[in-house]
């Protein structure tokens, strides 16, 4: 089947497909309409010339290349193309003699399909060879990174740096050229991100090797920490380069990276549970321990982490973990409540505490088993993938020795492990069947090679067959591993809400469990937020989560009984919608408050750590202070990461922002212990310049990463909500300072004043980012003026705080400080108001009565009433009529996945009136055309002409959506929204071009009996996947265009009317 992962392949296949589509239409006109097919000599000769040129270039390349895989895979592609070309030439000759010839028509359609398929195979083989060239360079860098382990002197380091530099430059250049060639935006982003990380880590690696060499050669303290720093950096760079190699080999977008993320999340959860279990049990054992103290918080964290693991599991495993965690949470609430009432030592409370302690052991065991199972499956999958290349190289070499056979055996062994862990018996049997086939074929090939017949046509055909079967086996094992995991809901809040809403509206529709998975994810995030809140607030949010969970379960139960459309189900759905909305609002409120508190100051702990690391050798308690500062820094970093993850899950961020936050959090978790190690080296080597430089390098990298995380978190939440929360927090800080002055507590006063200053500076940072993001001069001017006013109020408040702290009972100083605090509060309010949307005065102000003058002249006489019949009232304006989405007829053959994708786009577009909005008009047309295509793809008779024309019409509407979206983006003053809009609409032209090519491929198969069912299904599957991507991209473009239209330049002269057909409040 054709693949389109590069612009070169797409640019060659598109004109070929266009010519083939004309031939397919001629074939149908002859077959269905009985028309004579005109003389095709000229167009066939043009196709023959193009194909001959392509084959000639391919054969020349094969003769000069040393790539054995290319030498093996190119000849079959040549044969396929040449045979197809021969059929086309024969068809042209036969049709010239007899324009109605049936055999000629068959040759025409089979030749057309063969040309398209063979050209695609040839281009793919050549592209794979180009990718292998890049991979060889990447693997060379990987091998050279390990040489860092033997660098033990400064001369070695200089040589190492000189040798590593050119290779890194070459790899970076090749990756940059490759990413520009790719059509999949996701692949481009992944390559660029990984390559940027490698570039950023290069100076860190040199610094880490340098400090290791320095400490070891001078026999200073800190060698162990320096070794850890070096090994961490080498491992991190190796991981990123391996990710580059993985992405380079992808030809279609997949979510394969989920396995590593899930495995990492499970390991992190297990580590946190292990670190907290003793503290939790200590609290449970002590009947006098207070409710809400660190021990209870440890239990909450354990349950929270177990819940995360449960969400990553499927079936019984998931139910067990989540059910146990929920029960233990309820029991912990009971123990906490009893202790709060002073009844912690009663037999009931003691028994409950013991049950919770035993339950934690059980829960920990379940989490560990789940993590081991996932790790076993993903490890087998990764080993299998690594062995595939070696096995393919052995198969490509006709003189390959018996050691290559071991790679095939290794693949079979790992595939067997995956099959054994499969819960689906059909999948297990399918994998085992392939294993039996590969074993038999490999034994036969090995026997021929032992006889010296490895270069015979029979042996080469066997090698090719084994290679194909191995690829199929890899696909089957990948599918089995993916199916062992739960259905994935959207990564961001809005995506989950949409999926959940879709299920609530149609609980009887089979969405593969996505809607309920989204609902579970929302409830889990709500409980995670609640666990970090104080008593009554926690109970309130937990109550809302329980309500949503109960109603969701009730609706699912009704749908399972076939009563999903009943009045009772509709009533439950209505209640569920309201409860979900209520829970979402409370979650976002809690999350915004947490971001306001935790992110008010991100860098003070690392600055304090730097001060402790550079303390003079004779400073009192030097080691103890350092350990205390290091622990505080690690705790602070963990809180930043945890809060950022909540902002990603519960904020208004899009998918790319969520993934950016997750990547920044991961980097923060990896960097934090390395920063502490670097600081410890500096502590133990005072005055050492290399140690100082290394710590500064690690510190700056950590700060850069946290600043990036902060910016992404700010994008993920509503700016005005964050400012509201910060303003409320400053009010509370002022109240605390008032209490501190009344109780003569200068330390409490200083803490409160410091908090006010930090929050005010955080507001300035948010305002500065928004000014940089906007191109609206009026908005920039208002926000900048308000920010300048706020900036001027901070230093005076700090000075007043220092003065009153020195003489806390002086009424004049107290008043001066409070006045300064209120000036900050007033300036914060002005910044917040600058972000308030400007609304016109309504109703308009009354006229100035002093300017009114009465005329003394008499009024004119009243005109006579009309005589005769009273005219009829003016008719109302005609309602806008949208073409309704077509309902499926009983027994009608349609492709359900394409129909669902089309329906979802239509539902999104129908929210808006298409009057004065061509984007909405084009989106609605595309949805209706895709619904039609879902019928044509599955039509029993198969209308080739209609399928090809439908694809062309969809592509035309796609071009219109893209053009209009770019116009909107050009006039949008918000840089972030503009970038998001351009990113989503950039995908549309590529996907619509692919749709035309795939439709032509599918058209060559409709009504044919000489096509295997597997080949036909594969063509349909690719077409469906492409259609789903196109509908999703257009849907996202509609949403982003509407968001961008709010920030259109006032002098743009380009407007789209966004009028909701159904108001949001109905």
């Amino acid at each position: 089947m054709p693949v389109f992962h590069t612009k070169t392949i797409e640019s060659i296949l598109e004109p070929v497909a266009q010519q083939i589509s004309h031939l397919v239409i001629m074939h149908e006109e002859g077959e269905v309409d009985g028309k004579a097919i005109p003389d095709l000599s000229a167009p066939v000769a043009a196709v023959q010339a193009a194909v001959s040129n392509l084959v000639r270039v391919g054969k020349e390349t094969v003769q000069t290349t040393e790539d054995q895989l290319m030498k093996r895979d190119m000849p079959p592609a040549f044969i396929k193309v040449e045979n197809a070309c021969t059929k086309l030439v024969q068809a042209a000759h036969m049709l010239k003699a007899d324009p109605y010839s049936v055999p000629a028509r068959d040759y025409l359609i089979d030749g057309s399909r063969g040309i398209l398929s063979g050209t695609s195979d040839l281009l793919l083989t050549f592209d794979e060879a180009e990718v292998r060239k890049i991979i060889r360079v990447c693997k060379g860098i990987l091998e050279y990174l390990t040489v860092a382990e033997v660098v033990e002197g400064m001369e070695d380091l200089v040589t190492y740096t000189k040798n590593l530099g050119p290779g890194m430059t070459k790899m970076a250049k090749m990756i940059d050229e490759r990413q520009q060639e790719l059509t999949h935006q996701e692949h481009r982003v992944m390559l660029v991100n990984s390559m940027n990380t490698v570039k950023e880590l290069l100076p860190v690696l040199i610094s880490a090797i340098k400090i290791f060499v320095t400490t070891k050669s001078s026999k200073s303290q800190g060698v162990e920490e320096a070794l850890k720093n070096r090994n961490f950096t080498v491992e991190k760079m190796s991981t990123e380069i391996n990710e580059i190699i993985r992405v380079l080999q992808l030809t279609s977008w997949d979510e394969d990276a989920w396995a590593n993320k899930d495995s990492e999340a499970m390991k992190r959860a297990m580590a946190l549970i292990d670190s907290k279990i003793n503290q939790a049990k200590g609290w449970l054992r002590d009947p006098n321990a207070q409710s809400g103290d660190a021990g209870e918080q440890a239990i909450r964290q354990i349950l929270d982490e177990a819940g995360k693991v449960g969400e990553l599991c499927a079936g019984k495993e998931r139910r067990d973990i989540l059910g146990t965690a929920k029960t233990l949470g309820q029991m912990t609430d009971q123990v906490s409540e009893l202790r709060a009432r002073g009844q912690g030592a009663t037999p009931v409370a003691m028994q409950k505490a013991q049950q919770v302690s035993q339950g934690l052991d059980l829960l920990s065991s379940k989490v560990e088993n789940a993590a081991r199972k996932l790790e076993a499956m993903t490890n087998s999958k990764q080993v299998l993938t690594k062995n595939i290349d070696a096995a393919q190289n052995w198969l490509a070499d006709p003189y390959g020795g018996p050691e290559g056979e071991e790679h095939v055996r290794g693949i079979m062994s790992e595939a067997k492990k995956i099959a054994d862990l499969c819960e689906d018996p059909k999948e297990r049997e399918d994998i085992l069947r392939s294993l039996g086939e590969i074993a038999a074929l490999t034994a036969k090939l090995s026997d021929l090679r032992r006889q010296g017949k490895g270069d015979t046509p029979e042996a080469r055909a066997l090698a090719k067959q084994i290679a194909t079967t191995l690829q199929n086996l890899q696909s089957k094992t990948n599918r089995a591993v993916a199916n062992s995991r739960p259905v994935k809901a959207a990564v961001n809040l809005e995506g989950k809400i949409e999926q959940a809403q879709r299920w609530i509206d149609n609980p009887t529709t089979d969405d593969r469990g996505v809607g309920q998975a989204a609902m579970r994810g929302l409830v889990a995030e709500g409980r995670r937020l609640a666990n970090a809140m104080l008593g009554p607030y926690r109970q309130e949010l937990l109550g809302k989560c329980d309500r949503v969970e109960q109603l969701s379960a009730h609706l699912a139960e009704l749908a399972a009984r076939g009563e999903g459309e009943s009045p009772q189900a509709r009533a439950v759905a209505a209640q569920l919608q309201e409860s979900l909305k209520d829970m979402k609002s409370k979650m976002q409120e809690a999350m915004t408050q947490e971001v306001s508190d935790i992110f008010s100051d991100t860098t003070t702990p690392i600055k304090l750590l730097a001060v402790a690391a550079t303390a003079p050798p004779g400073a009192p308690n030097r080691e103890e202070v350092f350990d205390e500062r290091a622990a505080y820094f690690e705790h602070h970093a963990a809180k930043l990461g945890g809060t950022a993850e909540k902002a990603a899950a519960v904020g208004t961020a899009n998918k790319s922002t969520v993934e950016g936050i997750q990547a920044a959090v991961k980097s923060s978790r990896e960097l934090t212990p390395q920063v502490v190690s670097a600081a410890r080296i500096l502590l133990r080597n005072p005055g050492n310049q290399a140690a100082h430089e290394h710590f500064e390098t690690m510190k700056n990298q950590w700060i850069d990463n946290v600043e990036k995380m902060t910016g992404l978190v700010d994008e993920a939440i509503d700016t005005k909500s964050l400012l509201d929360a910060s303003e409320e927090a400053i009010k509370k800080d002022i109240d605390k300072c008032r209490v501190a002055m009344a109780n003569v507590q200068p330390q409490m006063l200083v803490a409160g004043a410091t908090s006010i200053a930090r929050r005010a500076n955080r507001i300035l940072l948010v305002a500065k980012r928004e000014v940089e993001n906007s191109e609206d001069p009026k908005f920039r001017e208002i926000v900048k003026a308000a920010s300048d006013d706020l900036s001027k109020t901070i230093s005076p408040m700090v000075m007043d705080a220092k003065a009153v702290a020195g003489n806390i009972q002086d009424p004049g100083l107290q008043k001066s400080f409070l006045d300064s605090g209120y000036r900050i509060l007033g300036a914060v309010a002005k910044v917040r108001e600058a972000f308030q949307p400007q609304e016109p005065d309504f109703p308009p102000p009354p006229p100035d009565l002093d300017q009114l003058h009465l005329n003394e002249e008499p009024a004119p006489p009243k005109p006579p009433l009309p005589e005769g019949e009273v005219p009829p009232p003016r008719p109302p304006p005609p309602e806008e009529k949208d073409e309704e989405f077509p309902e499926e007829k009983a027994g009608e053959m349609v492709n359900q996945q394409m129909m669902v994708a089309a329906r979802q786009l239509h539902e999104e577009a129908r929210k808006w009136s298409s009057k004065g909005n061509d984007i909405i008009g084009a989106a609605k047309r595309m949805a209706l055309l895709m619904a039609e295509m879902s019928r044509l793809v599955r039509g029993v008779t198969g209308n080739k002409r209609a399928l090809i024309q439908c694809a062309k019409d969809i592509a035309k509407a796609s071009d219109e959506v893209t053009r209009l979206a770019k116009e909107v983006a050009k006039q949008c003053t918000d840089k972030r929204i503009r970038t998001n809009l351009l990113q989503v609409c950039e995908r549309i032209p590529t996907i619509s071009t692919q749709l035309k090519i795939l439709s032509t491929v599918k058209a060559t198969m409709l009504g044919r009996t000489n096509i295997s069912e597997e080949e036909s299904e594969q063509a349909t599957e690719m077409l469906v996947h492409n259609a789903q991507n196109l509908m999703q991209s257009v849907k996202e473009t509609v949403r982003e265009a509407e968001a961008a239209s709010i920030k259109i330049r006032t002098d743009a002269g380009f407007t789209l009317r966004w009028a909701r057909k159904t108001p949001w409040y109905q």
Side-chain angles (χ1 to χ4, degrees):
M1 286 297 108
V3 289
F4 322 94
H5 59 291
T6 73
K7 293 173 184 174
T8 300
I9 292 177
E10 188 181 287
S11 66
I12 294 172
L13 282 182
E14 185 187 8
V16 172
Q18 197 168 351
Q19 292 298 322
I20 297 301
S21 67
H22 293 318
L23 297 178
V24 171
I25 290 170
M26 287 180 188
H27 170 273
E28 184 159 79
E29 286 175 346
E31 189 175 57
V32 179
D33 302 340
K35 289 183 181 178
I37 296 180
D39 185 6
L40 298 177
S41 301
V44 166
V47 171
Q48 186 181 22
V51 167
S52 299
N53 186 49
L54 194 62
V55 170
R56 179 181 58 77
V57 172
K59 286 182 176 177
E60 288 173 1
T61 306
V62 168
Q63 287 172 0
T64 57
T65 188
E66 295 180 2
D67 190 324
Q68 293 297 324
L69 289 173
M70 191 181 194
K71 285 184 174 181
R72 183 197 73 189
D73 293 341
M74 274 292 197
F78 295 152
I79 293 167
K80 185 187 280 190
V81 172
E82 288 169 335
N83 288 346
C85 198
T86 302
K87 282 190 175 181
L88 275 185
V89 171
Q90 286 178 322
H93 288 153
M94 293 166 72
L95 288 168
K96 193 171 183 179
D98 178 9
Y100 299 96
S101 170
V102 174
R105 287 203 302 264
D106 289 344
Y107 273 18
L108 180 67
I109 199 74
D110 291 342
S112 298
R113 184 174 61 255
I115 288 282
L116 206 49
S117 177
T119 304
S120 175
D121 288 353
L122 199 151
L123 292 170
L124 178 60
T125 301
F126 181 78
D127 185 71
E128 285 173 341
E130 291 298 303
V131 168
R132 284 194 288 273
K133 288 179 187 175
I134 305 174
I135 289 175
R136 276 195 289 275
V137 173
C138 293
K139 287 184 174 177
I141 297 290
L142 275 176
E143 288 174 11
Y144 198 67
L145 282 176
T146 60
V147 176
E149 296 175 8
V150 297
V151 175
E152 295 188 349
M154 291 307 291
E155 288 184 8
D156 291 345
L157 177 58
V158 171
T159 305
Y160 183 79
T161 306
K162 283 182 179 177
N163 291 341
L164 183 61
M168 288 287 291
T169 303
K170 184 179 181 181
M171 182 175 76
K173 186 172 181 290
M174 294 177 88
I175 295 300
D176 184 56
E177 290 171 353
R178 181 64 181 178
Q179 67 88 10
Q180 292 178 36
E181 173 71 1
L182 296 176
T183 57
H184 290 289
Q185 192 180 78
E186 292 87 353
H187 294 171
R188 289 204 302 272
V189 171
M190 290 158 79
L191 281 181
V192 169
N193 288 346
S194 290
M195 193 64 238
N196 285 343
T197 303
V198 172
K199 288 177 185 175
E200 290 165 6
L201 286 170
L202 184 57
V204 179
L205 174 66
I206 303 305
S207 175
I209 298 174
K210 185 178 178 182
I211 189 62
F212 172 72
V213 168
T214 305
T215 52
K216 188 170 183 181
S217 60
S218 62
K219 297 182 180 178
S220 307
Q221 291 184 340
V223 176
E224 189 178 336
E225 284 81 3
L227 182 63
K228 285 179 182 176
N229 270 179
R230 187 201 69 189
N231 291 347
F232 160 78
T233 311
V234 169
E235 187 181 343
K236 178 72 174 166
M237 290 179 78
S238 300
T239 301
E240 293 297 337
I241 294 172
N242 277 317
E243 175 65 2
I244 287 171
I245 292 171
R246 185 187 79 83
V247 176
L248 284 170
Q249 296 176 87
L250 297 176
T251 56
S252 62
W253 171 238
D254 68 346
E255 296 286 352
D256 196 42
W258 66 263
N260 291 333
K261 288 180 182 176
D262 284 4
S263 189
E264 285 172 12
M266 285 188 175
K267 286 177 183 175
R268 194 165 61 245
M270 282 173 61
L272 195 141
I273 289 170
D274 288 344
S275 69
K276 296 287 180 182
I277 197 84
N278 289 334
Q279 188 180 17
K281 287 187 172 182
W283 182 80
L284 290 166
R285 280 194 301 269
D286 182 3
N288 299 315
Q290 293 300 305
S291 173
D293 74 3
E296 184 183 348
Q297 290 304 314
I299 297 175
R300 305 281 179 200
Q301 286 178 290
I302 289 170
L303 300 181
D304 184 23
E305 294 301 318
K308 289 179 186 177
V309 173
E311 289 298 331
L312 298 174
C313 299
K316 184 176 181 297
E317 195 172 48
R318 180 186 164 280
R319 289 193 299 273
D320 279 354
I321 293 174
L322 291 182
T324 304
K326 185 178 178 183
T327 302
L328 290 175
Q330 292 167 344
M331 292 170 71
T332 303
D333 287 343
Q334 292 168 5
V335 173
S336 179
E337 193 177 332
L338 287 167
R339 290 183 177 180
R341 296 204 301 259
Q343 300 173 8
T346 61
V348 173
M350 299 279 283
Q351 184 183 10
K352 287 276 183 193
Q354 187 179 3
Q355 288 172 344
V356 173
S357 183
Q358 291 169 349
L360 288 176
D361 288 333
L362 178 64
L363 183 64
S364 179
S365 171
K366 288 180 177 179
V367 166
E368 190 176 351
N369 289 338
R372 282 180 179 168
K373 179 181 175 184
L374 174 61
E375 189 173 17
M377 291 190 89
T378 50
N379 283 350
S380 290
K381 180 172 174 284
Q382 287 164 1
V383 172
L384 189 151
T385 302
K386 285 178 184 175
N387 279 336
I388 281 282
D389 280 348
Q392 295 284 21
N393 287 328
W394 175 70
L395 291 167
D397 181 6
Y399 307 105
E403 66 280 356
E405 193 177 346
E406 290 303 314
H407 292 298
V408 179
R409 289 203 184 98
I411 290 168
M412 293 171 66
S413 171
E414 298 303 328
K416 176 73 165 53
K417 291 177 187 175
I418 292 173
D420 291 341
L421 290 168
C422 272
E423 293 184 4
D424 186 338
K426 186 179 177 184
E427 281 184 341
R428 184 166 56 247
E429 288 168 13
D430 204 13
I431 292 172
L432 293 175
R433 195 181 306 115
S434 292
L435 290 176
E437 186 180 347
I438 291 168
L441 291 170
T442 305
K444 195 172 179 182
L445 177 64
S446 297
D447 190 41
L448 286 171
R449 287 186 174 180
R450 276 193 294 272
Q451 297 172 30
K453 299 178 181 178
D455 205 17
T456 61
E458 182 188 4
R460 285 188 174 277
L462 266 175
K464 178 67 177 170
Q465 190 178 353
I466 295 168
T468 304
T469 312
L470 282 174
Q471 287 176 337
N472 290 339
L473 176 67
Q474 188 179 17
S475 298
K476 288 174 183 177
T477 52
N478 287 352
R479 197 180 307 120
V481 174
N483 289 344
S484 70
R485 313 312 306 151
V487 173
K488 291 283 180 182
V491 296
N492 59 333
L493 179 76
E494 293 304 323
K496 286 191 182 80
I497 290 285
E498 183 188 348
Q499 290 170 337
Q501 187 63 55
R502 205 179 294 141
W503 174 72
I504 293 170
D505 291 340
N506 299 288
T508 55
T509 303
D510 180 18
D511 66 349
R512 299 181 301 115
V514 171
Q516 291 185 67
M519 194 75 76
R520 289 195 300 269
L522 290 166
V523 170
E525 290 298 341
R527 288 189 173 132
R528 205 161 290 137
L529 275 169
N531 282 337
M533 297 167 77
L534 297 174
Y537 301 105
R538 181 173 69 238
Q539 293 305 324
E540 183 186 4
L541 183 50
L542 285 174
K544 293 181 186 300
C545 293
D546 289 343
R547 176 68 173 158
V548 168
E549 189 175 55
Q550 289 162 6
L551 289 169
S552 177
H554 191 187
L555 185 61
E557 186 184 343
L558 289 170
R561 294 205 305 257
E563 299 172 14
E565 300 295 334
S566 65
Q568 185 185 3
R570 283 196 289 273
V572 171
Q575 292 174 34
L576 181 53
Q577 280 180 331
E578 282 303 311
S579 298
L580 187 60
K581 184 179 174 184
D582 194 24
M583 184 182 78
K584 174 191 170 185
S585 173
K586 199 68 185 173
M587 284 166 65
Q588 290 188 320
E589 181 187 328
M591 181 270 301
T592 305
Q593 186 60 58
E594 187 173 331
V595 168
S596 171
D597 291 339
I598 303 300
F599 276 82
S600 63
D601 178 28
T602 57
T603 55
T604 295
I606 197 171
K607 290 174 183 175
L608 293 173
L609 178 67
V611 171
T614 53
N621 301 320
R622 190 167 174 265
E623 289 276 350
E624 290 79 0
V625 170
F626 178 85
D627 290 340
E628 183 183 321
R629 297 277 175 86
Y632 175 51
F633 167 64
E634 289 177 324
H635 175 68
H636 176 70
K639 283 173 73 176
L640 286 174
T643 302
E645 284 183 324
K646 290 174 187 175
V650 183
T652 56
N654 58 24
K655 185 171 180 280
S656 62
T657 303
V658 169
E659 289 173 346
I661 291 173
Q662 290 171 344
V665 170
K666 184 185 175 192
S667 291
S668 174
R669 285 181 176 138
E670 291 171 342
L671 282 170
T672 299
Q674 304 309 315
V675 171
V676 173
S677 292
R680 201 176 295 281
I681 294 169
L682 181 57
L683 178 78
R684 293 175 179 174
N685 297 273
N688 185 315
Q689 186 61 27
H692 180 73
E693 288 173 0
H694 179 59
F695 174 67
E696 284 298 312
T697 300
M698 298 303 299
K699 183 185 82 170
N700 291 335
Q701 193 180 25
W702 188 91
I703 289 173
D704 289 345
N705 183 68
V706 165
E707 285 178 353
K708 179 183 175 185
M709 185 200 298
T710 305
L712 290 166
V713 167
D714 288 350
E715 282 183 34
I717 58 179
D718 178 58
T719 302
K720 187 177 174 301
S721 298
L722 179 59
L723 295 177
D724 285 341
S726 299
E727 187 177 5
E728 284 301 314
I730 290 174
K731 287 179 183 176
K732 290 177 182 176
D733 285 336
I734 291 175
D735 290 340
K736 286 177 186 174
C737 290
R738 195 193 298 275
V739 172
M741 289 187 293
N743 295 335
V744 193
Q745 294 176 305
Q747 286 186 331
M748 183 176 171
L749 172 76
V750 170
T754 304
S755 178
I756 292 170
R758 286 172 180 167
R759 291 184 192 278
N761 280 312
R762 175 83 170 95
I763 291 168
L764 286 176
L765 177 64
V766 171
K768 182 187 173 189
R769 283 204 176 109
E770 290 301 320
V771 167
E772 290 171 352
N773 178 60
S774 178
E775 292 177 352
D776 183 341
K778 187 177 178 184
F779 173 78
R780 286 166 62 96
E781 184 182 345
I782 293 171
V783 175
K784 192 172 184 309
S787 298
D788 289 344
D789 289 346
L790 175 59
S791 181
K792 291 171 188 173
T793 63
I794 299 172
S795 291
M797 187 277 297
V798 173
M799 298 298 292
D800 289 340
K802 287 179 179 177
V804 79
N807 188 3
I808 198 165
Q809 292 179 304
D810 186 318
L813 293 176
Q814 288 183 357
K815 183 178 183 304
S816 180
F817 168 72
L818 288 174
D819 288 345
S820 296
Y822 286 124
R823 276 195 292 275
I824 284 185
L825 204 53
V828 168
K830 283 186 180 178
V831 174
R832 173 177 52 76
E833 286 164 9
F835 287 89
Q836 197 86 20
Q838 298 297 313
E839 295 180 5
D841 291 333
F842 186 82
D848 187 354
L849 295 178
D850 292 339
Q851 301 299 318
L852 293 179
H853 298 286
L854 295 176
N855 198 330
E856 299 294 337
E857 294 179 12
K862 186 184 291 186
L865 293 171
E867 297 179 4
E869 285 188 31
V870 178
R874 179 182 293 175
E879 290 185 11
E880 179 186 350
K881 289 187 178 178
D882 275 336
E883 193 171 343
E884 291 295 322
F885 194 79
E887 294 296 328
E888 294 175 40
K889 298 171 186 174
E892 187 178 31
M893 296 283 285
V894 297
N895 184 285
Q896 280 296 337
Q897 291 168 294
M898 288 177 81
M899 183 65 87
V900 167
R903 188 188 300 279
Q904 288 172 6
L905 174 59
H906 197 264
E907 286 171 359
E908 182 66 32
R910 281 197 66 186
K911 294 176 183 176
W912 307 98
S913 168
S914 53
K915 279 186 180 178
N917 192 324
D918 291 339
I919 288 183
I920 293 299
K924 289 175 181 175
R925 285 199 303 278
M926 286 181 72
L928 296 171
L929 286 165
M930 192 59 75
E932 178 61 21
M933 183 175 274
S934 72
R935 293 181 172 83
L936 295 170
V937 166
R938 293 298 301 269
V940 179
T941 54
N943 190 331
K944 304 178 184 67
R945 181 172 35 189
L947 178 59
I948 291 170
Q949 187 57 49
C950 188
K952 287 180 179 177
D953 291 342
I954 290 172
K956 187 177 177 183
S958 298
D959 292 342
E960 188 177 356
V961 169
T962 306
R963 179 182 62 79
L964 291 166
K966 285 182 176 178
E967 280 292 325
V968 173
K970 195 190 299 181
Q971 306 300 339
C972 179
T973 60
D974 189 300
K975 294 177 186 176
R976 276 196 299 268
I977 295 176
R978 181 202 301 155
T979 302
N980 291 340
L981 175 55
L982 289 173
Q983 282 177 344
V984 294
C985 77
E986 183 192 40
R987 298 197 297 255
I988 295 175
T990 295
I991 301 172
S992 63
T993 299
Q994 294 171 3
L995 183 77
K996 288 191 290 185
I997 299 171
L998 289 168
S999 298
T1000 301
V1001 172
K1002 184 62 185 175
T1004 63
M1005 298 179 176
L1006 290 178
R1008 306 298 295 160
T1009 55
N1010 60 342
I1011 304 293
S1012 70
E1013 187 177 341
E1014 185 180 356
E1015 190 178 359
S1016 178
E1017 280 304 311
Q1018 191 181 1
T1020 303
E1021 190 178 321
M1022 288 184 72
L1023 184 57
V1024 167
H1025 184 62
N1026 179 274
Q1028 288 173 320
N1029 284 344
L1030 183 58
M1031 294 293 97
Q1032 182 64 27
S1033 295
V1034 174
K1035 188 165 72 171
E1036 289 176 16
T1037 300
V1038 167
R1039 290 176 180 171
E1040 293 293 345
E1042 190 272 330
S1045 67
I1046 299 169
K1047 301 288 182 78
I1048 288 287
R1049 298 175 196 277
T1050 52
D1051 60 346
F1054 173 83
T1055 56
L1056 286 176
R1057 178 175 170 271
W1058 292 88
R1060 279 191 179 271
K1061 294 185 68 180
T1062 305
W1064 63 269
Y1065 49 80
Q1066 286 187 0

